[in-house]
Amino acid sequence: MNTKAMRSNLMLVLTAFIWGVAFVAQSVGMDYVGPFTFISVRNFIAALVLLPCIRLLDKVNPPAPSREDNKSSHGGPTLIIGGIVCGICLAVASAFQQIGIAYTTVGKAGFITAMYIVIVPILGLFIGKRVRIIAWISVVISVVGLYLLCMTESLSLSKGDLLVLICAFCFSLHIMAIDHFSPKVDGIRMSCIQFLTCGIICAFPALLTESPDIHNILAAWLSILYAGALSSAVGYTLQIVAQKNTDPVIASLLMSLESAFSLLAGWVLLNQRLSAREMCGCALMFVAIILSQLPEKK
């Protein structure tokens, strides 16, 4: 594995850690505001956080003009289209997840959401991507690990389960969209457009169905700030930048570690101890990730 791939994979593990800890923030924040309000505000915060970062990076590394149309090499129309497409996928996936959790258990929601590690390689087959046998083996092992991590009762497909399953499919499309657009454009700019798109889309149902109140938003300021600044701005931007040098199947496996990190965060921050079953699930997840990183014989 080359240095770029190793650095990208470490960035994805960091992303999974940030997302895993964010479950605590999201749980607390939802006590004060509705799901669409939470999603919308956190994404607007994420976009605002990235704006000064973009300006600073432009000063350090000014964009070079394109030879063809004398425009910025950051992506032009492709950048805007990519940001909007990723933002739509993110908005739909986040909405289905938040609404679905209200009708199912957290354990089922965590397991079903992480099914994107299975859906991503299947979608990849339809666009001509070859998936290694070792990757399929890693997918199977990681699914078993996620089952041990998250499932505490028999699996049955309820209304909430179906909504979260749709969320997993949408997150898979989000990963595939990033894999398509990120090598062609500036990752931080696309991430900013993505957040603005997601925030605007979720603002409409928030205003129509939840009547957002500034006092409730301020009451949840710490949770929303963490979710917006770290989980969204840092996490999703790391994902976009890292996926430029990482296979989408391996990326989905690494990011699925958020389930393990969320349990560890609950153990450390909320004093929720891990059972032997959950520890076995963590171990299987790490085995799957190690297998996915094994080099392919030429």
Side-chain angles (χ1 to χ4, degrees):
M1 183 186 301
N2 58 43
T3 305
K4 283 187 177 180
M6 178 65 73
R7 184 167 59 246
S8 296
N9 291 345
L10 290 175
M11 290 168 66
L12 289 172
V13 173
L14 177 59
T15 299
F17 174 77
I18 292 172
W19 287 346
V21 177
F23 277 101
V24 176
Q26 287 178 267
S27 177
V28 175
M30 290 291 289
D31 292 336
Y32 300 94
V33 296
F36 287 108
T37 301
F38 190 91
I39 296 170
S40 181
V41 175
R42 72 177 284 187
N43 277 277
F44 282 132
I45 290 175
L48 288 174
V49 169
L50 289 185
L51 286 176
C53 296
I54 293 172
R55 187 174 181 85
L56 178 62
L57 289 174
D58 282 347
K59 289 183 177 181
V60 175
N61 186 22
S66 172
R67 294 180 180 179
E68 296 179 0
D69 52 11
N70 202 33
K71 293 181 181 179
S72 170
S73 61
H74 286 309
T78 304
L79 171 66
I80 298 174
I81 294 172
I84 292 175
V85 170
C86 291
I88 293 172
C89 293
L90 179 61
V92 176
S94 300
F96 275 112
Q97 183 185 55
Q98 292 287 9
I99 297 173
I101 287 175
Y103 298 98
T104 188
T105 63
V106 173
K108 283 187 178 182
F111 172 73
I112 298 172
T113 299
M115 289 297 291
Y116 61 73
I117 68 175
V118 178
I119 300 173
V120 166
I122 295 174
L123 291 177
L125 293 175
F126 288 98
I127 59 175
K129 285 185 174 291
R130 186 177 67 87
V131 180
R132 296 188 300 153
I133 296 297
I134 195 68
W136 284 112
I137 295 173
S138 299
V139 165
V140 173
I141 295 174
S142 62
V143 168
V144 176
L146 283 169
Y147 180 87
L148 294 175
L149 275 171
C150 302
M151 297 303 295
T152 56
E153 66 277 343
S154 60
L155 178 62
S156 59
L157 195 62
S158 65
K159 175 183 177 181
D161 298 335
L162 181 60
L163 291 172
V164 180
L165 184 59
I166 297 173
C167 147
F169 179 79
C170 293
F171 272 127
S172 301
L173 293 178
H174 183 247
I175 291 174
M176 299 302 292
I178 289 175
D179 181 63
H180 175 74
F181 288 106
S182 62
K184 305 175 182 179
V185 300
D186 179 79
I188 298 181
R189 277 178 164 77
M190 189 174 82
S191 189
C192 187
I193 296 173
Q194 166 186 253
F195 294 138
L196 284 173
T197 302
C198 182
I200 291 170
I201 290 174
C202 292
F204 288 103
L207 292 171
L208 292 174
T209 63
E210 296 174 358
S211 301
D213 183 83
I214 187 64
H215 296 291
N216 291 334
I217 294 175
L218 291 176
W221 72 270
L222 185 59
S223 299
I224 295 176
L225 185 61
Y226 179 91
L230 283 178
S231 182
S232 292
V234 176
Y236 282 110
T237 301
L238 282 175
Q239 177 194 4
I240 289 176
V241 174
Q243 275 196 235
K244 289 185 177 183
N245 302 299
T246 302
D247 182 87
V249 176
I250 294 176
S252 64
L253 282 169
L254 291 173
M255 289 184 291
S256 70
L257 267 177
E258 66 176 300
S259 296
F261 284 129
S262 66
L263 285 173
L264 292 173
W267 187 11
V268 174
L269 300 176
L270 303 178
N271 199 28
Q272 297 175 347
R273 294 184 177 276
L274 293 175
S275 66
R277 173 191 175 106
E278 291 167 334
M279 292 295 291
C280 288
C282 287
L284 285 176
M285 286 293 297
F286 282 107
V287 168
I289 289 167
I290 291 171
L291 283 177
S292 69
Q293 302 301 298
L294 293 178
E296 183 179 12
K297 289 185 178 181
K298 300 298 181 183

